[in-house]
Amino acid sequence: MARIVVKVGTSTLAYPGGLLNIRHVEKLVKVLSDLKNAGHEIVLVSSGAIGIGAGRLSLPARPKDIPGKQAAAAVGQCRLMDIYDSLFSAYDHITAQILLTKEDLEDRERRTNFINPMNQLLAWKVLPIINENDTVATAEIKVGDNDTLSAIVAEAIQADVNILLSDIDGLYTADPRQDPTARLIPEVPAITPEILALGGGAGSSLGTGGMATKIHAAQICCEAGIDLYIVNGRNPDILYDIVEGKQVGTRFRGRKA
Ligand code: GLU
């Protein structure tokens, strides 16, 4: 039995306009429910509040201003949890919502106030679903991205593994969309300056926030002795492969003390 933190991004959950990608969400919920039935503890870190809020409000685009993002998140978070709760209920699983800000995880006492109920929820076999509290968390108090949030959560609750479901197969030696010679890196034993550079250092073609935040998340997990995987979330069956120890995506090895 493993304690698994799975992070899913907006691009897997919703279409570009913010409407739900029903096929992806239903499949994800099914696989996570099955893994829970098999005895694993699952924590889901889910994005999508702002994107799904914008879709629900029929906004022409995702808001760019802070109050717009905050307000869209308030609408979308509610919708997101409603969807998760009804889909997980169909498999007899109970969900719980936890919304965090950076301060909740940095302050020692508040961190304990997060960890204790998390352990209780997992002992009760509940499936906690976590997001940043985007409606009240403005720049100064924000973690900012859910890759990092997922890693901090995995570290706090001493997870065995953190899995980032992405829209790319893993970490490549160069941007595979631009460089046909780019190779997938299956295993990263240590986060070297070369690996960090792949996240967007000078001259890197992978300079999207996407890979940089994932490598940052990997740093947090590896330091804490937790394995982190970057895999393609298109087919959530890939979660079974990870649990079965198969080689998929990119695995960053947690440094065991
Ligand atoms: N918390 C944001 C949301 O739910 C997403 C942050 C991220 O995608 O990293 O919309």
Side-chain angles (χ1 to χ4, degrees), residues 182-203:
R183 283 179 303 104
L184 181 74
I185 304 172
E187 180 96 16
V188 178
I191 300 176
T192 58
E194 291 75 27
I195 293 290
L196 283 174
L198 292 176

Side-chain angles (χ1 to χ4, degrees), residues 7 10 46-51 62 131-132 134 144-147:
K7 181 257 168 179
T10 311
S46 178
S47 304
I50 300 169
R62 190 185 156 100
N131 197 357
E132 181 126 39
D134 293 312
D145 70 89
N146 278 5
D147 294 324

Side-chain angles (χ1 to χ4, degrees), residues 193-239:
E194 291 75 27
I195 293 290
L196 283 174
L198 292 176
S204 163
S205 47
L206 276 185
T208 62
M211 210 31 91
T213 55
K214 286 175 179 55
I215 296 174
H216 180 230
Q219 264 185 313
I220 296 170
C221 283
C222 292
E223 299 261 307
I226 301 164
D227 283 357
L228 179 138
Y229 284 83
I230 302 173
V231 295
N232 200 319
R234 195 179 42 228
N235 184 357
D237 278 346
I238 201 157
L239 295 170

Side-chain angles (χ1 to χ4, degrees), residues 124-140:
W124 282 340
K125 309 272 180 237
V126 171
L127 195 152
I129 302 178
I130 299 178
N131 197 357
E132 181 126 39
N133 195 346
D134 293 312
T135 301
V136 296
T138 45
E140 322 74 61

Side-chain angles (χ1 to χ4, degrees), residues 6-24:
V6 178
K7 181 257 168 179
V8 61
T10 311
S11 61
T12 306
L13 295 172
Y15 291 104
L19 292 184
L20 194 68
N21 186 323
I22 296 171
R23 183 163 69 168
H24 281 176

